[in-house]
Amino acid sequence: MRLPLFILLCLTVLLSSCSQYQQVLRKDDMGKKYAFADSLYRIGKYRKGLKLMEQLVPAYRGKPQGEKLMFIYANTYYNLEDYYLSGYQFERFTQAYPQSDSVEIAAFKSAKSFYQLSPRYSLDQKDTDKGLEKLQEFINQYPNSDKRTEANTLVAELRNKLEKKEYEVAKQYLRVEDYKAAIGAFDNFITDNPGSIYRKDAFYGRFVAAYKLAINSIPVLVQERLREAKVYYNNFMKYYKDSDLAPEALENYQDIESRIEPLETEPTI
C-alpha cells in the first residue's frame, strides 16, 4: 500500500527535525544549542527545549544572552506546570537581573507559581502561606502593575482557603463534642478574621458549642454555663438577627431559658 505524498513529506520533515535535534543536543556548539532552544521555545516544544536549556544555563550565566535565556528557562518550567521550579527560577531571575524589562512579569510569575502550589484547604497550608507572602511582596513592590488586580484576587482566594481551614478545624471540635475546644477555636477565628465569609457561622458555632457544653455539664456547672451560652447568643443576634441561622439559634435560646429559670428561682439554703 502506497502512502500519500503529503504523509511522506510530513514523515520526512519529522524525521529530519528529530535527527537535527539529536545532533545539536550531543554537540558542544553552544551557539547552535541556544538558537535551537529558542526556536523550540517559540513553537511550544517545551520539553525538548528544556533539555537544551539545562546545558546552556551554566554556560551563559553572567553573559549578555543569559538574561533572555534565564527568563525563558523559568517560563518553560511554568508552561510545563512544574511550579516548584518555575517559582524558584523566576525568583533567581529577579535577583540576577533587577534592572531587566522582564523583572516585573518574572516577579509576578514567581508569586503565581507559589499560588499554584497551594493545596486544597484540608491539607497542610505551608505552600499557601508562601504564596500569600510572595503575592503580597509583588503587590507592595509593584503597586501600579497591570497585574495588581489579578494578584489581589489570588491573595483573596488564598486567604479564604486559610480561613476555611481554620473554620473547619473549629467545626470539627464541635462535631466530636469537644465543646470547650470548639468555643476557643471559634473565638480565635472571630478575632483573627473580622471580614471572613465564615464569620456568621463562627458566631453561631460558638453559641451552639456553649449551649451544648452547658446542657451536658455536671449539675453544679450548668447554671453558670447556661448564662455564658446566653451571652454568646446575644453576640450572635447582635450581628445576625436577620440571618438564616437566627430561627435555629432562637430555639436553642428558648431551651436555655426553660432550663435556667428553675435554677435561678430555686430557694437558697
Side-chain angles (χ1 to χ4, degrees):
M1 181 179 177
R2 298 180 62 185
L3 291 173
L5 179 61
F6 175 73
I7 296 178
L8 284 172
L9 286 172
C10 289
L11 287 172
T12 301
V13 171
L14 179 63
L15 291 172
S16 173
S17 175
C18 290
S19 174
Q20 183 184 8
Y21 172 75
Q22 291 299 329
Q23 289 177 13
V24 173
L25 188 65
R26 288 195 298 266
K27 290 184 178 180
D28 295 327
D29 189 330
M30 291 298 168
K32 284 187 178 180
K33 285 182 190 290
Y34 189 104
F36 206 72
D38 185 49
S39 66
L40 289 171
Y41 174 81
R42 289 173 182 274
I43 61 174
K45 301 288 185 180
Y46 299 119
R47 293 195 184 281
K48 280 190 171 184
L50 185 60
K51 290 184 179 180
L52 290 169
M53 291 179 204
E54 287 169 347
Q55 297 178 2
L56 289 165
V57 166
Y60 280 92
R61 188 171 287 118
K63 294 182 179 179
Q65 303 97 318
E67 179 182 333
K68 178 183 177 181
L69 176 63
M70 288 297 292
F71 183 88
I72 66 172
Y73 182 50
N75 208 39
T76 293
Y77 281 121
Y78 188 87
N79 289 329
L80 290 172
E81 299 183 1
D82 188 340
Y83 296 119
Y84 276 110
L85 285 175
S86 67
Y88 172 70
Q89 292 298 339
F90 275 125
E91 198 166 42
R92 288 187 68 191
F93 178 89
T94 62
Q95 293 167 356
Y97 303 99
Q99 304 304 316
S100 171
D101 291 340
S102 302
V103 70
E104 181 181 320
I105 190 62
F108 177 72
K109 284 200 165 184
S110 176
K112 193 169 181 180
S113 294
F114 291 110
Y115 156 84
Q116 296 283 9
L117 293 170
S118 173
R120 64 180 184 271
Y121 78 89
S122 58
L123 300 178
D124 183 272
Q125 295 299 304
K126 179 177 66 176
D127 287 326
T128 302
D129 290 331
K130 182 78 169 178
L132 269 174
E133 176 189 339
K134 293 298 179 182
L135 284 164
Q136 196 59 58
E137 284 178 4
F138 173 80
I139 291 168
N140 294 341
Q141 189 167 0
Y142 301 100
N144 300 316
S145 172
D146 61 358
K147 297 293 184 183
R148 181 184 176 87
T149 299
E150 183 179 355
N152 281 323
T153 299
L154 300 180
V155 164
E157 185 179 327
L158 294 185
R159 283 181 177 160
N160 182 67
K161 187 181 294 186
L162 293 177
E163 289 171 11
K164 183 172 177 61
K165 183 177 180 67
E166 189 178 346
Y167 169 71
E168 290 294 335
V169 168
K171 203 163 76 167
Q172 179 64 14
Y173 285 129
L174 182 59
R175 194 176 295 119
V176 300
E177 302 180 358
D178 189 345
Y179 300 126
K180 284 186 179 180
I183 292 169
F186 281 126
D187 259 335
N188 290 336
F189 180 89
I190 290 166
T191 300
D192 296 340
N193 304 284
S196 174
I197 62 172
Y198 304 105
R199 187 173 173 82
K200 174 192 68 176
D201 299 279
F203 267 86
Y204 179 73
R206 183 177 63 175
F207 164 59
V208 171
Y211 163 65
K212 291 191 174 182
L213 176 64
I215 65 176
N216 288 284
S217 294
I218 59 175
V220 70
L221 295 175
V222 170
Q223 184 176 4
E224 177 187 354
R225 288 178 173 173
L226 285 172
R227 287 173 178 166
E228 290 173 354
K230 285 178 66 174
V231 171
Y232 288 129
Y233 171 78
N234 290 331
N235 287 337
F236 170 78
M237 293 300 285
K238 178 181 178 181
Y239 299 105
Y240 304 108
K241 65 180 180 179
D242 297 321
S243 75
D244 59 321
L245 295 175
E248 295 177 42
L250 178 60
E251 286 183 22
N252 290 335
Y253 176 75
Q254 289 170 338
D255 185 52
I256 290 172
E257 289 287 24
S258 69
R259 290 171 183 268
I260 203 171
E261 185 177 356
L263 296 174
E264 293 184 337
T265 56
E266 285 181 359
T268 56
I269 298 174

